[in-house]
PDB file of all heavy atoms in Angstrom:
ATOM      1  N   THR A  12       0.001  23.221  -7.677  1.00 99.00           N
ATOM      2  CA  THR A  12      -0.151  24.313  -8.687  1.00 99.00           C
ATOM      3  C   THR A  12       1.138  24.268  -9.513  1.00 99.00           C
ATOM      4  O   THR A  12       2.206  24.125  -8.976  1.00 99.00           O
ATOM      5  CB  THR A  12      -0.277  25.785  -7.900  1.00 99.00           C
ATOM      6  OG1 THR A  12       0.776  26.128  -7.249  1.00 99.00           O
ATOM      7  CG2 THR A  12      -1.513  25.840  -7.081  1.00 99.00           C
ATOM      8  N   GLY A  13       0.965  24.546 -10.785  1.00 98.00           N
ATOM      9  CA  GLY A  13       2.154  24.440 -11.696  1.00 98.00           C
ATOM     10  C   GLY A  13       2.621  23.036 -11.724  1.00 98.00           C
ATOM     11  O   GLY A  13       3.846  22.723 -11.494  1.00 98.00           O
ATOM     12  N   ASN A  15       2.366  21.071 -14.468  1.00 98.00           N
ATOM     13  CA  ASN A  15       2.439  20.487 -15.815  1.00 98.00           C
ATOM     14  C   ASN A  15       3.944  20.494 -16.341  1.00 98.00           C
ATOM     15  O   ASN A  15       4.270  20.202 -17.432  1.00 98.00           O
ATOM     16  CB  ASN A  15       1.647  21.204 -16.855  1.00 98.00           C
ATOM     17  CG  ASN A  15       1.975  22.743 -16.898  1.00 98.00           C
ATOM     18  OD1 ASN A  15       2.892  23.068 -16.150  1.00 98.00           O
ATOM     19  ND2 ASN A  15       1.150  23.554 -17.559  1.00 98.00           N
ATOM     20  N   ILE A  35      -3.610  18.990 -10.796  1.00 99.00           N
ATOM     21  CA  ILE A  35      -2.512  19.962 -11.062  1.00 99.00           C
ATOM     22  C   ILE A  35      -3.184  21.052 -11.799  1.00 99.00           C
ATOM     23  O   ILE A  35      -4.155  21.025 -12.446  1.00 99.00           O
ATOM     24  CB  ILE A  35      -1.371  19.327 -12.012  1.00 99.00           C
ATOM     25  CG1 ILE A  35      -1.975  18.832 -13.309  1.00 99.00           C
ATOM     26  CG2 ILE A  35      -0.652  18.193 -11.226  1.00 99.00           C
ATOM     27  CD1 ILE A  35      -0.876  18.511 -14.381  1.00 99.00           C
ATOM     28  N   THR A  36      -2.589  22.196 -11.688  1.00 98.00           N
ATOM     29  CA  THR A  36      -2.912  23.433 -12.464  1.00 98.00           C
ATOM     30  C   THR A  36      -1.622  23.947 -13.244  1.00 98.00           C
ATOM     31  O   THR A  36      -0.591  23.613 -12.996  1.00 98.00           O
ATOM     32  CB  THR A  36      -3.395  24.549 -11.530  1.00 98.00           C
ATOM     33  OG1 THR A  36      -2.319  25.075 -10.703  1.00 98.00           O
ATOM     34  CG2 THR A  36      -4.594  24.180 -10.747  1.00 98.00           C
ATOM     35  N   GLY A  37      -2.057  24.833 -14.268  1.00 98.00           N
ATOM     36  CA  GLY A  37      -1.056  25.481 -15.038  1.00 98.00           C
ATOM     37  C   GLY A  37      -1.730  26.229 -16.081  1.00 98.00           C
ATOM     38  O   GLY A  37      -2.962  26.073 -16.332  1.00 98.00           O
ATOM     39  N   ARG A  38      -1.020  27.062 -16.862  1.00 98.00           N
ATOM     40  CA  ARG A  38      -1.618  27.849 -17.965  1.00 98.00           C
ATOM     41  C   ARG A  38      -1.606  27.070 -19.188  1.00 98.00           C
ATOM     42  O   ARG A  38      -2.516  27.120 -20.045  1.00 98.00           O
ATOM     43  CB  ARG A  38      -0.984  29.268 -18.055  1.00 98.00           C
ATOM     44  CG  ARG A  38      -1.115  30.184 -16.863  1.00 98.00           C
ATOM     45  CD  ARG A  38      -0.191  31.270 -16.835  1.00 98.00           C
ATOM     46  NE  ARG A  38       1.178  30.713 -16.867  1.00 98.00           N
ATOM     47  CZ  ARG A  38       2.303  31.439 -16.911  1.00 98.00           C
ATOM     48  NH1 ARG A  38       2.162  32.812 -17.010  1.00 98.00           N
ATOM     49  NH2 ARG A  38       3.556  30.914 -16.904  1.00 98.00           N
ATOM     50  N   ASN A  39      -0.416  26.444 -19.496  1.00 98.00           N
ATOM     51  CA  ASN A  39      -0.144  25.888 -20.753  1.00 98.00           C
ATOM     52  C   ASN A  39      -0.926  24.532 -21.018  1.00 98.00           C
ATOM     53  O   ASN A  39      -0.717  23.512 -20.371  1.00 98.00           O
ATOM     54  CB  ASN A  39       1.439  25.562 -20.897  1.00 98.00           C
ATOM     55  CG  ASN A  39       1.645  25.029 -22.139  1.00 98.00           C
ATOM     56  OD1 ASN A  39       1.495  23.814 -22.526  1.00 98.00           O
ATOM     57  ND2 ASN A  39       2.423  25.775 -23.041  1.00 98.00           N
ATOM     58  N   LEU A  40      -1.987  24.622 -21.900  1.00 98.00           N
ATOM     59  CA  LEU A  40      -2.883  23.539 -22.220  1.00 98.00           C
ATOM     60  C   LEU A  40      -2.093  22.188 -22.807  1.00 98.00           C
ATOM     61  O   LEU A  40      -2.326  21.085 -22.284  1.00 98.00           O
ATOM     62  CB  LEU A  40      -3.882  23.908 -23.242  1.00 98.00           C
ATOM     63  CG  LEU A  40      -5.180  23.164 -23.134  1.00 98.00           C
ATOM     64  CD1 LEU A  40      -5.771  22.964 -21.730  1.00 98.00           C
ATOM     65  CD2 LEU A  40      -6.168  23.733 -24.026  1.00 98.00           C
ATOM     66  N   LEU A  43      -0.456  20.502 -19.913  1.00 98.00           N
ATOM     67  CA  LEU A  43      -1.541  19.857 -19.037  1.00 98.00           C
ATOM     68  C   LEU A  43      -2.018  18.514 -19.747  1.00 98.00           C
ATOM     69  O   LEU A  43      -2.133  17.514 -18.983  1.00 98.00           O
ATOM     70  CB  LEU A  43      -2.760  20.750 -18.804  1.00 98.00           C
ATOM     71  CG  LEU A  43      -2.480  21.991 -17.919  1.00 98.00           C
ATOM     72  CD1 LEU A  43      -3.563  23.083 -18.114  1.00 98.00           C
ATOM     73  CD2 LEU A  43      -2.387  21.579 -16.469  1.00 98.00           C
ATOM     74  N   ILE A  57      -6.072  20.906 -14.566  1.00 98.00           N
ATOM     75  CA  ILE A  57      -7.090  22.014 -14.698  1.00 98.00           C
ATOM     76  C   ILE A  57      -6.270  23.218 -15.145  1.00 98.00           C
ATOM     77  O   ILE A  57      -5.296  23.627 -14.528  1.00 98.00           O
ATOM     78  CB  ILE A  57      -7.709  22.301 -13.238  1.00 98.00           C
ATOM     79  CG1 ILE A  57      -8.461  21.074 -12.842  1.00 98.00           C
ATOM     80  CG2 ILE A  57      -8.658  23.415 -13.471  1.00 98.00           C
ATOM     81  CD1 ILE A  57      -9.004  21.263 -11.369  1.00 98.00           C
ATOM     82  N   GLN A  58      -6.819  23.843 -16.245  1.00 98.00           N
ATOM     83  CA  GLN A  58      -6.060  25.014 -16.748  1.00 98.00           C
ATOM     84  C   GLN A  58      -6.505  26.236 -15.844  1.00 98.00           C
ATOM     85  O   GLN A  58      -7.700  26.540 -15.652  1.00 98.00           O
ATOM     86  CB  GLN A  58      -6.484  25.338 -18.196  1.00 98.00           C
ATOM     87  CG  GLN A  58      -5.634  26.447 -18.789  1.00 98.00           C
ATOM     88  CD  GLN A  58      -6.026  26.696 -20.270  1.00 98.00           C
ATOM     89  OE1 GLN A  58      -7.162  26.553 -20.632  1.00 98.00           O
ATOM     90  NE2 GLN A  58      -4.971  27.067 -20.982  1.00 98.00           N
ATOM     91  N   ALA A  59      -5.494  26.745 -15.199  1.00 98.00           N
ATOM     92  CA  ALA A  59      -5.834  27.909 -14.266  1.00 98.00           C
ATOM     93  C   ALA A  59      -4.624  28.748 -14.121  1.00 98.00           C
ATOM     94  O   ALA A  59      -3.496  28.180 -13.772  1.00 98.00           O
ATOM     95  CB  ALA A  59      -6.304  27.371 -12.901  1.00 98.00           C
ATOM     96  N   ASP A  60      -4.814  30.026 -14.204  1.00 98.00           N
ATOM     97  CA  ASP A  60      -3.585  31.079 -13.941  1.00 98.00           C
ATOM     98  C   ASP A  60      -3.745  31.399 -12.476  1.00 98.00           C
ATOM     99  O   ASP A  60      -4.678  32.141 -12.038  1.00 98.00           O
ATOM    100  CB  ASP A  60      -3.822  32.223 -15.005  1.00 98.00           C
ATOM    101  CG  ASP A  60      -2.717  33.172 -14.717  1.00 98.00           C
ATOM    102  OD1 ASP A  60      -1.980  33.199 -13.749  1.00 98.00           O
ATOM    103  OD2 ASP A  60      -2.520  34.037 -15.663  1.00 98.00           O
ATOM    104  N   ILE A  61      -2.739  31.155 -11.719  1.00 98.00           N
ATOM    105  CA  ILE A  61      -2.777  31.469 -10.276  1.00 98.00           C
ATOM    106  C   ILE A  61      -2.830  32.911 -10.031  1.00 98.00           C
ATOM    107  O   ILE A  61      -3.324  33.394  -8.901  1.00 98.00           O
ATOM    108  CB  ILE A  61      -1.660  30.735  -9.553  1.00 98.00           C
ATOM    109  CG1 ILE A  61      -1.893  30.769  -8.101  1.00 98.00           C
ATOM    110  CG2 ILE A  61      -0.273  31.475  -9.799  1.00 98.00           C
ATOM    111  CD1 ILE A  61      -1.021  29.767  -7.237  1.00 98.00           C
ATOM    112  N   SER A  62      -2.414  33.841 -10.937  1.00 98.00           N
ATOM    113  CA  SER A  62      -2.416  35.211 -10.674  1.00 98.00           C
ATOM    114  C   SER A  62      -3.795  35.814 -10.958  1.00 98.00           C
ATOM    115  O   SER A  62      -4.049  36.960 -10.695  1.00 98.00           O
ATOM    116  CB  SER A  62      -1.389  35.843 -11.574  1.00 98.00           C
ATOM    117  OG  SER A  62      -1.711  35.817 -12.918  1.00 98.00           O
ATOM    118  N   ASP A  63      -4.737  34.964 -11.561  1.00 98.00           N
ATOM    119  CA  ASP A  63      -6.135  35.485 -11.779  1.00 98.00           C
ATOM    120  C   ASP A  63      -6.949  35.171 -10.696  1.00 98.00           C
ATOM    121  O   ASP A  63      -7.619  34.137 -10.523  1.00 98.00           O
ATOM    122  CB  ASP A  63      -6.516  34.787 -13.094  1.00 98.00           C
ATOM    123  CG  ASP A  63      -8.013  35.238 -13.381  1.00 98.00           C
ATOM    124  OD1 ASP A  63      -8.480  36.282 -12.797  1.00 98.00           O
ATOM    125  OD2 ASP A  63      -8.615  34.594 -14.303  1.00 98.00           O
ATOM    126  N   LEU A  64      -7.008  36.133  -9.683  1.00 98.00           N
ATOM    127  CA  LEU A  64      -7.851  35.904  -8.488  1.00 98.00           C
ATOM    128  C   LEU A  64      -9.248  35.694  -8.689  1.00 98.00           C
ATOM    129  O   LEU A  64      -9.884  34.935  -7.852  1.00 98.00           O
ATOM    130  CB  LEU A  64      -7.597  37.148  -7.542  1.00 98.00           C
ATOM    131  CG  LEU A  64      -6.385  37.121  -6.517  1.00 98.00           C
ATOM    132  CD1 LEU A  64      -5.116  36.619  -7.169  1.00 98.00           C
ATOM    133  CD2 LEU A  64      -6.157  38.428  -5.867  1.00 98.00           C
ATOM    134  N   ARG A  65      -9.805  36.192  -9.817  1.00 98.00           N
ATOM    135  CA  ARG A  65     -11.219  35.983 -10.141  1.00 98.00           C
ATOM    136  C   ARG A  65     -11.441  34.458 -10.378  1.00 98.00           C
ATOM    137  O   ARG A  65     -12.634  34.130 -10.261  1.00 98.00           O
ATOM    138  CB  ARG A  65     -11.600  36.833 -11.298  1.00 98.00           C
ATOM    139  CG  ARG A  65     -11.575  38.322 -11.082  1.00 98.00           C
ATOM    140  CD  ARG A  65     -11.678  39.008 -12.371  1.00 98.00           C
ATOM    141  NE  ARG A  65     -10.589  38.582 -13.209  1.00 98.00           N
ATOM    142  CZ  ARG A  65     -10.335  38.951 -14.460  1.00 98.00           C
ATOM    143  NH1 ARG A  65     -11.158  39.855 -14.953  1.00 98.00           N
ATOM    144  NH2 ARG A  65      -9.351  38.535 -15.167  1.00 98.00           N
ATOM    145  N   GLY A  66     -10.461  33.738 -10.774  1.00 98.00           N
ATOM    146  CA  GLY A  66     -10.676  32.306 -11.154  1.00 98.00           C
ATOM    147  C   GLY A  66     -10.603  31.402  -9.866  1.00 98.00           C
ATOM    148  O   GLY A  66     -10.852  30.257  -9.945  1.00 98.00           O
ATOM    149  N   HIS A  67     -10.184  31.929  -8.694  1.00 98.00           N
ATOM    150  CA  HIS A  67      -9.865  31.095  -7.577  1.00 98.00           C
ATOM    151  C   HIS A  67     -11.150  30.432  -7.024  1.00 98.00           C
ATOM    152  O   HIS A  67     -11.093  29.234  -6.606  1.00 98.00           O
ATOM    153  CB  HIS A  67      -9.233  31.913  -6.424  1.00 98.00           C
ATOM    154  CG  HIS A  67      -7.820  32.142  -6.798  1.00 98.00           C
ATOM    155  ND1 HIS A  67      -7.011  32.856  -5.874  1.00 98.00           N
ATOM    156  CD2 HIS A  67      -6.941  31.947  -7.835  1.00 98.00           C
ATOM    157  CE1 HIS A  67      -5.708  33.011  -6.415  1.00 98.00           C
ATOM    158  NE2 HIS A  67      -5.766  32.508  -7.624  1.00 98.00           N
ATOM    159  N   ALA A  68     -12.236  31.120  -6.913  1.00 98.00           N
ATOM    160  CA  ALA A  68     -13.525  30.515  -6.472  1.00 98.00           C
ATOM    161  C   ALA A  68     -13.874  29.346  -7.325  1.00 98.00           C
ATOM    162  O   ALA A  68     -14.306  28.264  -6.877  1.00 98.00           O
ATOM    163  CB  ALA A  68     -14.575  31.574  -6.343  1.00 98.00           C
ATOM    164  N   ALA A  69     -13.782  29.575  -8.635  1.00 98.00           N
ATOM    165  CA  ALA A  69     -14.214  28.460  -9.588  1.00 98.00           C
ATOM    166  C   ALA A  69     -13.378  27.348  -9.406  1.00 98.00           C
ATOM    167  O   ALA A  69     -13.782  26.144  -9.471  1.00 98.00           O
ATOM    168  CB  ALA A  69     -14.179  29.106 -11.050  1.00 98.00           C
ATOM    169  N   LEU A  70     -12.003  27.489  -9.327  1.00 98.00           N
ATOM    170  CA  LEU A  70     -11.114  26.407  -9.057  1.00 98.00           C
ATOM    171  C   LEU A  70     -11.462  25.611  -7.832  1.00 98.00           C
ATOM    172  O   LEU A  70     -11.421  24.387  -7.782  1.00 98.00           O
ATOM    173  CB  LEU A  70      -9.676  27.041  -9.095  1.00 98.00           C
ATOM    174  CG  LEU A  70      -8.587  25.961  -8.742  1.00 98.00           C
ATOM    175  CD1 LEU A  70      -8.499  24.841  -9.848  1.00 98.00           C
ATOM    176  CD2 LEU A  70      -7.178  26.625  -8.701  1.00 98.00           C
ATOM    177  N   GLU A  73     -14.555  23.526  -8.493  1.00 98.00           N
ATOM    178  CA  GLU A  73     -14.197  22.373  -9.325  1.00 98.00           C
ATOM    179  C   GLU A  73     -13.460  21.301  -8.442  1.00 98.00           C
ATOM    180  O   GLU A  73     -13.736  20.149  -8.617  1.00 98.00           O
ATOM    181  CB  GLU A  73     -13.323  22.829 -10.576  1.00 98.00           C
ATOM    182  CG  GLU A  73     -13.106  21.600 -11.425  1.00 98.00           C
ATOM    183  CD  GLU A  73     -12.522  21.963 -12.795  1.00 98.00           C
ATOM    184  OE1 GLU A  73     -12.322  23.184 -13.094  1.00 98.00           O
ATOM    185  OE2 GLU A  73     -12.140  20.980 -13.465  1.00 98.00           O
ATOM    186  N   ALA A  88       3.705  26.700  -8.293  1.00 98.00           N
ATOM    187  CA  ALA A  88       3.791  27.508  -9.450  1.00 98.00           C
ATOM    188  C   ALA A  88       4.613  28.763  -9.162  1.00 98.00           C
ATOM    189  O   ALA A  88       4.417  29.438  -8.228  1.00 98.00           O
ATOM    190  CB  ALA A  88       2.326  27.930  -9.879  1.00 98.00           C
ATOM    191  N   GLY A  89       5.407  29.039 -10.149  1.00 98.00           N
ATOM    192  CA  GLY A  89       6.270  30.289  -9.922  1.00 98.00           C
ATOM    193  C   GLY A  89       7.048  30.615 -11.194  1.00 98.00           C
ATOM    194  O   GLY A  89       7.242  29.780 -12.019  1.00 98.00           O
ATOM    195  N   VAL A  90       7.502  31.862 -11.200  1.00 97.00           N
ATOM    196  CA  VAL A  90       8.241  32.356 -12.421  1.00 97.00           C
ATOM    197  C   VAL A  90       9.465  33.118 -11.899  1.00 97.00           C
ATOM    198  O   VAL A  90       9.429  33.587 -10.804  1.00 97.00           O
ATOM    199  CB  VAL A  90       7.455  33.204 -13.371  1.00 97.00           C
ATOM    200  CG1 VAL A  90       6.415  32.424 -14.103  1.00 97.00           C
ATOM    201  CG2 VAL A  90       6.870  34.347 -12.573  1.00 97.00           C
ATOM    202  N   ASP A 105       5.458  43.521 -10.990  1.00 98.00           N
ATOM    203  CA  ASP A 105       4.056  43.230 -10.617  1.00 98.00           C
ATOM    204  C   ASP A 105       3.737  41.844 -11.137  1.00 98.00           C
ATOM    205  O   ASP A 105       2.995  41.130 -10.406  1.00 98.00           O
ATOM    206  CB  ASP A 105       3.153  44.284 -11.305  1.00 98.00           C
ATOM    207  CG  ASP A 105       3.269  45.681 -10.691  1.00 98.00           C
ATOM    208  OD1 ASP A 105       3.790  45.713  -9.543  1.00 98.00           O
ATOM    209  OD2 ASP A 105       2.836  46.625 -11.290  1.00 98.00           O
ATOM    210  N   GLN A 106       4.229  41.432 -12.275  1.00 98.00           N
ATOM    211  CA  GLN A 106       3.837  40.068 -12.753  1.00 98.00           C
ATOM    212  C   GLN A 106       4.428  39.018 -11.918  1.00 98.00           C
ATOM    213  O   GLN A 106       3.835  37.985 -11.564  1.00 98.00           O
ATOM    214  CB  GLN A 106       4.278  39.907 -14.174  1.00 98.00           C
ATOM    215  CG  GLN A 106       3.558  38.751 -14.832  1.00 98.00           C
ATOM    216  CD  GLN A 106       4.325  38.169 -16.063  1.00 98.00           C
ATOM    217  OE1 GLN A 106       5.464  38.428 -16.286  1.00 98.00           O
ATOM    218  NE2 GLN A 106       3.603  37.331 -16.820  1.00 98.00           N
ATOM    219  N   THR A 107       5.693  39.185 -11.527  1.00 98.00           N
ATOM    220  CA  THR A 107       6.409  38.194 -10.672  1.00 98.00           C
ATOM    221  C   THR A 107       5.646  38.126  -9.223  1.00 98.00           C
ATOM    222  O   THR A 107       5.402  37.000  -8.775  1.00 98.00           O
ATOM    223  CB  THR A 107       7.823  38.547 -10.486  1.00 98.00           C
ATOM    224  OG1 THR A 107       8.456  38.721 -11.699  1.00 98.00           O
ATOM    225  CG2 THR A 107       8.599  37.584  -9.608  1.00 98.00           C
ATOM    226  N   PHE A 108       5.321  39.215  -8.670  1.00 98.00           N
ATOM    227  CA  PHE A 108       4.585  39.200  -7.349  1.00 98.00           C
ATOM    228  C   PHE A 108       3.245  38.660  -7.506  1.00 98.00           C
ATOM    229  O   PHE A 108       2.709  37.990  -6.546  1.00 98.00           O
ATOM    230  CB  PHE A 108       4.732  40.538  -6.654  1.00 98.00           C
ATOM    231  CG  PHE A 108       6.001  40.749  -5.866  1.00 98.00           C
ATOM    232  CD1 PHE A 108       7.245  40.942  -6.509  1.00 98.00           C
ATOM    233  CD2 PHE A 108       5.972  40.720  -4.430  1.00 98.00           C
ATOM    234  CE1 PHE A 108       8.367  41.154  -5.754  1.00 98.00           C
ATOM    235  CE2 PHE A 108       7.081  40.822  -3.724  1.00 98.00           C
ATOM    236  CZ  PHE A 108       8.348  41.089  -4.272  1.00 98.00           C
ATOM    237  N   ALA A 109       2.551  38.986  -8.615  1.00 98.00           N
ATOM    238  CA  ALA A 109       1.182  38.470  -8.769  1.00 98.00           C
ATOM    239  C   ALA A 109       1.239  36.895  -8.921  1.00 98.00           C
ATOM    240  O   ALA A 109       0.330  36.300  -8.271  1.00 98.00           O
ATOM    241  CB  ALA A 109       0.561  38.963 -10.064  1.00 98.00           C
ATOM    242  N   ILE A 110       2.218  36.393  -9.493  1.00 98.00           N
ATOM    243  CA  ILE A 110       2.229  34.841  -9.775  1.00 98.00           C
ATOM    244  C   ILE A 110       2.963  34.171  -8.440  1.00 98.00           C
ATOM    245  O   ILE A 110       2.417  33.163  -7.918  1.00 98.00           O
ATOM    246  CB  ILE A 110       3.202  34.430 -10.999  1.00 98.00           C
ATOM    247  CG1 ILE A 110       2.359  34.921 -12.144  1.00 98.00           C
ATOM    248  CG2 ILE A 110       3.371  32.913 -10.953  1.00 98.00           C
ATOM    249  CD1 ILE A 110       3.123  34.856 -13.516  1.00 98.00           C
ATOM    250  N   ASN A 111       4.000  34.722  -7.903  1.00 98.00           N
ATOM    251  CA  ASN A 111       4.678  34.145  -6.830  1.00 98.00           C
ATOM    252  C   ASN A 111       4.243  34.384  -5.520  1.00 98.00           C
ATOM    253  O   ASN A 111       4.533  33.589  -4.573  1.00 98.00           O
ATOM    254  CB  ASN A 111       6.221  34.452  -6.902  1.00 98.00           C
ATOM    255  CG  ASN A 111       6.898  33.919  -8.179  1.00 98.00           C
ATOM    256  OD1 ASN A 111       6.405  33.405  -9.066  1.00 98.00           O
ATOM    257  ND2 ASN A 111       8.245  34.227  -8.247  1.00 98.00           N
ATOM    258  N   VAL A 112       3.444  35.515  -5.231  1.00 99.00           N
ATOM    259  CA  VAL A 112       3.036  35.849  -3.851  1.00 99.00           C
ATOM    260  C   VAL A 112       1.529  35.952  -3.795  1.00 99.00           C
ATOM    261  O   VAL A 112       0.861  35.317  -3.077  1.00 99.00           O
ATOM    262  CB  VAL A 112       3.805  37.109  -3.432  1.00 99.00           C
ATOM    263  CG1 VAL A 112       3.455  37.434  -1.957  1.00 99.00           C
ATOM    264  CG2 VAL A 112       5.280  37.059  -3.659  1.00 99.00           C
ATOM    265  N   ARG A 113       1.029  36.925  -4.572  1.00 98.00           N
ATOM    266  CA  ARG A 113      -0.417  37.322  -4.415  1.00 98.00           C
ATOM    267  C   ARG A 113      -1.228  36.074  -4.805  1.00 98.00           C
ATOM    268  O   ARG A 113      -2.266  35.767  -4.082  1.00 98.00           O
ATOM    269  CB  ARG A 113      -0.662  38.461  -5.397  1.00 98.00           C
ATOM    270  CG  ARG A 113      -1.967  39.231  -5.150  1.00 98.00           C
ATOM    271  CD  ARG A 113      -1.861  40.502  -5.958  1.00 98.00           C
ATOM    272  NE  ARG A 113      -3.095  41.183  -5.961  1.00 98.00           N
ATOM    273  CZ  ARG A 113      -3.967  41.167  -6.882  1.00 98.00           C
ATOM    274  NH1 ARG A 113      -3.648  40.501  -8.063  1.00 98.00           N
ATOM    275  NH2 ARG A 113      -5.042  41.859  -6.903  1.00 98.00           N
ATOM    276  N   GLY A 114      -0.880  35.340  -5.826  1.00 98.00           N
ATOM    277  CA  GLY A 114      -1.585  34.199  -6.311  1.00 98.00           C
ATOM    278  C   GLY A 114      -1.689  33.087  -5.268  1.00 98.00           C
ATOM    279  O   GLY A 114      -2.836  32.737  -4.826  1.00 98.00           O
ATOM    280  N   PRO A 115      -0.518  32.619  -4.754  1.00 98.00           N
ATOM    281  CA  PRO A 115      -0.677  31.641  -3.755  1.00 98.00           C
ATOM    282  C   PRO A 115      -1.230  32.016  -2.433  1.00 98.00           C
ATOM    283  O   PRO A 115      -1.967  31.180  -1.808  1.00 98.00           O
ATOM    284  CB  PRO A 115       0.868  31.195  -3.559  1.00 98.00           C
ATOM    285  CG  PRO A 115       1.642  31.972  -4.418  1.00 98.00           C
ATOM    286  CD  PRO A 115       0.824  32.812  -5.339  1.00 98.00           C
ATOM    287  N   PHE A 117      -3.780  34.176  -2.009  1.00 99.00           N
ATOM    288  CA  PHE A 117      -5.289  34.138  -2.046  1.00 99.00           C
ATOM    289  C   PHE A 117      -5.775  32.824  -2.395  1.00 99.00           C
ATOM    290  O   PHE A 117      -6.913  32.593  -2.086  1.00 99.00           O
ATOM    291  CB  PHE A 117      -5.775  35.331  -2.885  1.00 99.00           C
ATOM    292  CG  PHE A 117      -5.547  36.609  -2.196  1.00 99.00           C
ATOM    293  CD1 PHE A 117      -4.542  37.569  -2.576  1.00 99.00           C
ATOM    294  CD2 PHE A 117      -6.468  36.989  -1.149  1.00 99.00           C
ATOM    295  CE1 PHE A 117      -4.457  38.731  -1.854  1.00 99.00           C
ATOM    296  CE2 PHE A 117      -6.218  38.178  -0.328  1.00 99.00           C
ATOM    297  CZ  PHE A 117      -5.200  39.053  -0.753  1.00 99.00           C
ATOM    298  N   LEU A 118      -5.047  32.070  -3.175  1.00 99.00           N
ATOM    299  CA  LEU A 118      -5.487  30.773  -3.536  1.00 99.00           C
ATOM    300  C   LEU A 118      -5.693  29.901  -2.200  1.00 99.00           C
ATOM    301  O   LEU A 118      -6.670  29.210  -2.022  1.00 99.00           O
ATOM    302  CB  LEU A 118      -4.707  30.026  -4.507  1.00 99.00           C
ATOM    303  CG  LEU A 118      -5.243  28.636  -5.043  1.00 99.00           C
ATOM    304  CD1 LEU A 118      -6.523  28.720  -5.613  1.00 99.00           C
ATOM    305  CD2 LEU A 118      -4.287  27.968  -6.009  1.00 99.00           C
TER     306      LEU A 118
END
Side-chain angles (χ1 to χ4, degrees):
T12 66
N15 57 4
I35 60 165
T36 64
R38 296 162 301 177
N39 182 287
L40 204 51
L43 291 166
I57 303 171
Q58 190 177 34
D60 181 341
I61 199 164
S62 68
D63 177 12
L64 268 45
R65 291 162 308 176
H67 286 182
L70 177 60
E73 184 167 355
V90 289
D105 290 345
Q106 198 203 14
T107 303
F108 273 71
I110 295 173
N111 290 3
V112 185
R113 197 166 170 259
F117 285 105
L118 182 61

